[in-house]
Structure formats: C-alpha cells, structure tokens
Amino acid sequence: MPRWQPNTQERLVQAALELYTEQGYERTTVGEIADRVGVTSRTYFRHFPDKREVLFASGVAIREAIVAATSEALGSRPAYEAVLVGVTAGREVFQSREFAKTREAVIATSEELRERELVKIASISTALKTLLVDSGCDEATARMTADAGVAVFVEATRRWQDGDDAPFAELVGQAAQLLRETAATQAALVT
C-alpha cells in the first residue's frame, strides 16, 4: 500500500461514485472502492459503516447547516421565514453540480439508496421540527413548517442540479412561491 495521503474520506466518496456509475451500485464492493483509492477495506470502514453511506457523507453537515442557520434566524423572523433562511444555508455544503447530478443518477438506480435518501431528508425535517418546538411553536405548526421547508429545499436543489444558475436563495424563493401557489390552487379546488 502507498503511504498515507490526505483527504481519504473525500477520495473514497469520489471513487465510490465513479465505480457505482461504471458498474452499478449492486455490483460494486467496498474492496473495489478501497482499492481504487489505494487503501484497505479496514480504512474504508473507519470512514463509513457500509457501502451506501459513502453517498450520504454530507447529509449530517447539510442538516447541521440548515438547523444552525434556522436557529440563528429564529431570533428575528417568523418560523417559516427562518426555515427558508436555513434551507438556503444548506447549499453551502453541496458538492459540485456534476457530483450532485451523478450522485442523484446513482441513487435513482437502487431502491435501497432511494430509501436512504428519504431517511436523510426526513432527518432534516425532524431536526427542524424539534428546533421549532423548542423555540415555542406548537407541534403541528412545527411539523408542517419543517416539512414545507424541506419540500422547498428539495425543489430548489433539483432546480440547481438541473442547471439553473440563479443564486440558491433565489431558487429557494421560487420553490417557496410554487409551494404557496400549489397550496392555494388545491385549497380553491376543495372549497
């Protein structure tokens, strides 16, 4: 094995994404990922518990960025506006657009990975709901506000991945407007 090199975790993520793209998630082994980086499988497992988690390495950082920015904004804004500030801050953790699109394409090929992506998204909503309840929102309002914020985040992220070069805050604003319009249209249909 070669001598230690920096950024092992990032290199493992990149190698996994390349291999998953080349030969598929199901057919790729942890050993192959480790070999591509020039480390042992044991080193791989120091960074990730299994082969799927390598694609979700930034999930905790994204959730923490969103919650931290929301928490800071809660002092001066209503809950929903604070959540929109928070989800805008989540963009700061993203990899490149090319990486994000490739990752999304790999996730789309596997039910296991799609389920894990939903768990990641749900963890953001849960963390936001907890923050909002702790700041004084009632449970139902906190849950709806958190879920709405996450829906906006997912839509803004899709727009960014699809090549929209507007600032992410603008994409969040567009997605929030779409959510308002959709809710108003659906409410009008019900009444």
Side-chain angles (χ1 to χ4, degrees):
M1 288 283 144
R3 291 178 44 139
W4 177 86
Q5 294 180 4
N7 304 319
T8 301
Q9 183 167 329
E10 292 85 3
R11 291 183 305 119
L12 287 166
V13 169
Q14 188 60 45
L17 191 61
E18 290 168 4
L19 285 165
Y20 294 162
T21 300
E22 292 167 12
Q23 60 192 35
Y25 169 74
E26 299 296 333
R27 291 185 300 275
T28 301
T29 67
V30 167
E32 290 170 319
I33 298 167
D35 286 347
R36 182 159 291 192
V37 174
V39 299
T40 64
S41 294
R42 186 176 190 166
T43 297
Y44 176 94
F45 286 116
R46 283 190 193 120
H47 293 276
F48 305 103
D50 57 42
K51 75 177 193 174
R52 76 180 175 174
E53 288 305 310
V54 71
L55 292 175
F56 301 96
S58 64
V60 171
I62 290 170
R63 183 180 66 234
E64 289 173 354
I66 289 171
V67 170
T70 301
S71 179
E72 186 176 320
L74 276 171
S76 61
R77 299 171 191 248
Y80 184 63
E81 287 182 25
V83 168
L84 294 181
V85 168
V87 299
T88 300
R91 164 64 182 91
E92 297 168 13
V93 182
F94 289 175
Q95 302 278 353
S96 71
R97 183 177 288 152
E98 180 181 331
F99 176 91
K101 286 184 79 152
T102 304
R103 178 186 169 277
E104 185 80 14
V106 168
I107 289 171
T109 68
S110 166
E111 183 175 343
E112 177 184 353
L113 295 176
R114 289 190 306 273
E115 288 174 359
R116 178 61 183 96
E117 179 78 346
L118 291 173
V119 168
K120 182 189 86 169
I121 292 167
S123 77
I124 295 170
S125 183
T126 299
L128 285 171
K129 181 189 101 71
T130 300
L131 173 65
L132 294 173
V133 167
D134 290 349
S135 73
C137 283
D138 66 90
E139 184 114 4
T141 301
R143 185 174 44 253
M144 294 290 288
T145 302
D147 288 347
V150 169
V152 166
F153 178 67
V154 168
E155 177 60 24
T157 301
R158 284 192 181 123
R159 290 174 183 218
W160 173 77
Q161 284 177 341
D162 289 343
D164 194 323
D165 287 325
F168 197 70
E170 196 174 302
L171 298 177
V172 166
Q174 292 170 8
Q177 181 62 31
L178 177 61
L179 180 62
R180 282 189 290 276
E181 290 169 2
T182 302
T185 300
Q186 295 305 313
L189 293 173
V190 172
T191 56

